[in-house]
Amino acid sequence: MANMKVEEKRKQKMRISGAFMLIEALKAEKVEVIFGYPGGAVLPIYDKLYDSGIFHVLTRHEQGAIHAAEGYARISGKPGVVIATSGPGATNIVTGLTDAMMDSLPLVVFTGQVASGVIGSDAFQEADVVGITMPITKHSYQVRHVQELPKIIKEAFHIATTGRPGPVLIDIPKDMTTQEGEFDYEQPVRLPGYQPTVYPNHLQIRKLVEAVSQAKRPVILAGAGVLHANASQELQQYAEQQKIPVIHTLLGLGGFPADHPLFLGMAGMHGTYTANMALYECDLLINIGARFDDRVTGNLNCFAPKATVAHIDIDPAEIGKNVPTKIPIVSDAKEALKELILQEGRSADTDEWLAQLAEWKKGFPLVYKNEPGTMKPQKLIEMIYELTDGEAIVTTDVGQHQMWTAQYYKFKQPNRWVTSGGLGTMGFGLPAAIGAQLADWQATVVSIVGDGGFQMTLQELSVIQELKLPIKVVIVNNQSLGMVRQWQQLFYEKRYSHSLIPNQPDFVKLAEAYNIKGLRAKTEAEAVRVLQQAFSLHEPVLLDIHVAADENVYPMVAPGKGLHEMVGVKLCEESLQ
């Protein structure tokens, strides 16, 4: 009888509100930080959050919250958690959800919703969030019964972090946060229709081993899947074992050391000559965790025309989607590489191939012309690389500065590169740096942004100052939407329609308005001085670096062209003479 009473009391204690359930579930998932913005529909949640002990970052816009969560997820490997209120709060995170979906970042996002009884009545701050976000999330839920909330949250974390990572959204009507139910978070996740394949098929592995043994010109294209799988060491071990050169996608940078002799650089529209020509001339292409997007392949009719294609990916939907694949391997990248290493396959004689690649690397490096009295953006990235010993966490927006950073900051280790790849989101870099710094408090974090994109989320400087995050914000200021201007110059007869920004705020004064140190440079000598000063300080600093306004990103593969049809390569060749 006594035991029955104890059990009854225990059950009574566990009847808690939906808002309290959410907090307890986050604790059970060991969530350390939440990024969010309160509002009417989530007030019960924020009331329970008040004394929960979970660290909450109040960003100054919901877009800032979700991009910060992306940066946190990218560096920590843990799911980023976001809370936004109903209506405009929820719709303000749509861009971030799409960004995370395309770049395979694990997020669990909670949105408030109007009370269940008025859903569908166009109530104040009502929006069909599940309908809006279904195409841009890995999965979306709307809570209909408070008793379902613990199960839904547990499933959401499981879905977000397993298989191909991605964002999961939970839409919670306000009454679901105030109603009470029994909290049970011990039940295992059971999703019969969702069982990602983690381990490779042995026969397919053997096919790849045989293909490698016969290949004369093999190459590995490594994407972000290598990083998500924590497979950087295995990638290097396998490449060295088989003497296969490695190329990275934009999002894969850091998965293989940039200073390694087998590394050929980044592939694609602004990739290196050697990387792109290797993809064009190879006879075996091993794709590991990349999705063959158009910026990597160029014209598909000209992509890897001589190659047998093998594709290792945890998402079977990506295999064969864009490029015909002869050897498909559905698997986690780490598990596939471990199996390949264990096979100890016989590599073919690739000495002639490696010699050709070395010749291309020497003859067609990334180069630019220095001009007295100007600050070249490429030189700026090289200076940041040298000042940080190549060890910093670097975040960017999208555009020219992003490509220059990818080209000239030589990432030597994984999880140091945070950028918006698939969606190409302006305004991503600054809030992503906040999340990255919170994921690694000891790291040097540099946010390299354009003068255009910076102004889309600059209000998050307030968060940087409030939390005293020693982030260095470097504005590559060319007084234009640089990549738009470059395309207009090359493909639209220099008709610069609304791409130039001659009237700008004083970014140094703007920084000072947020109580952040601001520094400016317009020449290389000035840039050396202010960069050295900034990186000597353990505090946030904003640097407004004016660079050559008409500088373009080269090499470049024009739209509709193959990777072997790069422009700007002749310039590189002439600069060596």
Side-chain angles (χ1 to χ4, degrees):
M1 181 68 71
N3 288 338
M4 288 178 62
K5 288 183 177 180
V6 170
E7 182 66 17
E8 186 177 341
K9 286 183 178 179
R10 186 191 70 79
K11 288 185 178 180
Q12 288 175 351
K13 286 181 181 179
M14 295 308 290
R15 281 194 64 83
I16 56 178
S17 70
F20 198 12
M21 286 182 183
L22 191 156
I23 299 302
E24 290 300 301
L26 294 181
K27 290 180 178 179
E29 295 290 346
K30 296 181 171 53
V31 172
E32 298 173 341
V33 59
I34 299 170
F35 304 91
Y37 204 100
V42 291
L43 282 178
I45 296 172
Y46 271 84
D47 183 63
K48 296 302 180 184
L49 185 62
Y50 182 76
D51 50 6
S52 68
I54 301 176
F55 183 54
H56 179 277
V57 177
L58 174 64
T59 56
R60 297 326 191 238
H61 191 285
E62 291 89 353
Q63 183 180 357
I66 195 161
H67 290 331
E70 288 185 272
Y72 178 84
R74 185 67 188 77
I75 296 302
S76 70
K78 304 173 185 177
V81 177
V82 178
I83 300 177
T85 194
S86 65
T91 58
N92 277 343
I93 63 170
V94 166
T95 297
L97 285 171
T98 314
D99 193 274
M101 184 68 175
M102 293 194 74
D103 288 353
S104 304
L105 294 173
L107 301 181
V108 177
V109 179
F110 299 92
T111 54
Q113 183 56 274
V114 299
S116 303
V118 294
I119 289 177
S121 68
D122 293 332
F124 176 68
Q125 291 193 332
E126 180 186 0
D128 181 6
V129 178
V130 171
I132 292 169
T133 62
M134 191 173 293
I136 55 171
T137 55
K138 194 174 177 184
H139 196 64
S140 293
Y141 293 90
Q142 187 176 79
V143 181
R144 302 295 179 87
H145 305 283
V146 67
Q147 198 62 51
E148 297 176 344
L149 189 55
K151 175 177 176 287
I152 287 173
I153 295 173
K154 194 164 191 176
E155 287 180 1
F157 275 89
H158 176 73
I159 293 170
T161 56
T162 55
R164 179 179 179 173
V168 178
L169 181 134
I170 303 175
D171 193 44
I172 309 178
K174 189 172 183 179
D175 54 316
M176 293 296 105
T177 64
T178 56
Q179 291 179 17
E180 291 189 349
E182 183 176 330
F183 179 72
D184 181 3
Y185 210 70
E186 300 301 319
Q187 296 297 321
V189 173
R190 292 190 179 91
L191 297 170
Y194 175 70
Q195 301 291 331
T197 300
V198 176
Y199 299 100
N201 180 285
H202 180 71
L203 292 177
Q204 296 302 97
I205 289 290
R206 286 303 308 167
K207 287 181 182 178
L208 180 53
V209 170
E210 181 64 21
V212 170
S213 71
Q214 298 177 10
K216 297 294 184 182
R217 301 184 305 280
V219 70
I220 292 171
L221 176 65
V226 171
L227 298 170
H228 296 316
N230 295 314
S232 297
Q233 289 185 357
E234 287 79 5
L235 174 61
Q236 183 172 343
Q237 186 178 349
Y238 178 65
E240 291 174 344
Q241 181 194 75
Q242 299 297 318
K243 298 180 181 178
I244 303 177
V246 177
I247 296 167
H248 268 318
T249 64
L250 173 69
L251 290 178
L253 290 170
F256 194 83
D259 55 356
H260 195 286
L262 287 172
F263 186 61
L264 305 183
M266 181 179 71
M269 180 171 280
H270 296 293
T272 65
Y273 178 86
T274 306
N276 284 345
M277 289 304 298
L279 288 172
Y280 184 72
E281 294 289 349
C282 67
D283 63 0
L284 175 64
L285 171 55
I286 306 171
N287 179 334
I288 307 177
R291 58 186 182 85
F292 283 133
D293 80 288
D294 58 294
R295 290 299 173 98
V296 167
T297 65
N299 187 330
L300 283 170
N301 293 325
C302 306
F303 181 72
K306 308 168 187 177
T308 296
V309 177
H311 191 168
I312 300 170
D313 205 296
I314 200 163
D315 184 358
E318 290 296 342
I319 299 178
K321 184 177 79 174
N322 295 329
V323 174
T325 301
K326 187 173 182 179
I327 307 175
I329 300 176
V330 180
S331 171
D332 175 81
K334 190 183 191 79
E335 296 302 328
L337 283 164
K338 285 165 62 176
E339 185 64 26
L340 287 167
I341 292 166
L342 285 173
Q343 293 290 316
E344 295 184 343
R346 178 177 60 85
S347 61
D349 182 6
T350 59
D351 289 346
E352 185 176 336
W353 175 233
L354 294 176
Q356 173 65 79
L357 296 172
E359 185 178 325
W360 283 338
K361 286 173 73 173
K362 182 179 179 181
F364 300 97
L366 293 169
V367 296
Y368 58 92
K369 289 184 177 180
N370 268 316
E371 297 173 2
T374 64
M375 179 73 241
K376 284 301 182 82
Q378 301 94 326
K379 180 64 175 179
L380 172 62
I381 304 305
E382 289 180 331
M383 291 162 64
I384 295 171
Y385 172 78
E386 291 166 4
L387 281 168
T388 59
D389 296 322
E391 303 293 332
I393 293 173
V394 180
T395 74
T396 73
D397 281 346
V398 65
Q400 288 183 316
H401 71 278
Q402 176 193 38
M403 293 298 105
W404 285 317
T405 304
Q407 290 176 336
Y408 289 93
Y409 199 99
K410 308 300 183 183
F411 293 94
K412 295 178 287 188
Q413 57 180 310
N415 303 322
R416 285 294 180 266
W417 171 235
V418 185
T419 194
S420 174
L423 194 62
T425 304
M426 293 179 70
F428 173 88
L430 184 66
I434 294 171
Q437 186 74 83
L438 292 175
D440 189 344
W441 283 91
Q442 303 305 314
T444 297
V445 177
V446 186
S447 185
I448 301 174
V449 295
D451 48 302
F454 170 70
Q455 295 185 68
M456 292 189 174
T457 51
L458 63 82
Q459 70 276 355
E460 305 308 331
L461 287 173
S462 184
V463 178
I464 293 174
Q465 190 279 331
E466 178 184 337
L467 300 180
K468 295 179 170 52
L469 303 177
I471 296 168
K472 306 304 181 279
V473 182
V474 181
I475 301 173
V476 183
N477 190 345
N478 55 11
Q479 296 189 314
S480 68
L481 305 177
M483 192 61 81
V484 176
R485 183 207 58 76
Q486 177 171 334
W487 278 53
Q488 288 173 337
Q489 175 187 335
L490 298 178
F491 309 120
Y492 294 90
E493 300 177 342
K494 300 184 179 180
R495 292 163 59 87
Y496 300 121
S497 180
H498 304 286
S499 60
L500 307 181
I501 316 175
N503 297 316
Q504 293 184 327
D506 185 323
F507 292 121
V508 171
K509 289 183 178 179
L510 179 69
E512 292 170 350
Y514 282 98
N515 292 318
I516 290 174
K517 180 178 288 296
L519 301 169
R520 179 182 291 111
K522 294 186 178 182
T523 66
E524 185 175 325
E526 291 175 351
V528 170
R529 177 178 56 80
V530 299
L531 284 168
Q532 289 176 343
Q533 180 182 353
F535 283 100
S536 70
L537 301 171
H538 190 70
E539 64 182 72
V541 181
L542 182 145
L543 300 104
D544 177 21
I545 311 296
H546 289 237
V547 299
D550 58 352
E551 192 74 7
N552 289 336
V553 182
Y554 290 115
M556 180 178 183
V557 178
K561 299 295 184 180
L563 294 184
H564 63 300
E565 299 176 289
M566 291 164 278
V567 297
V569 175
K570 186 176 181 181
L571 171 67
C572 300
E573 189 177 26
E574 289 173 350
S575 298
L576 294 173
Q577 295 176 355

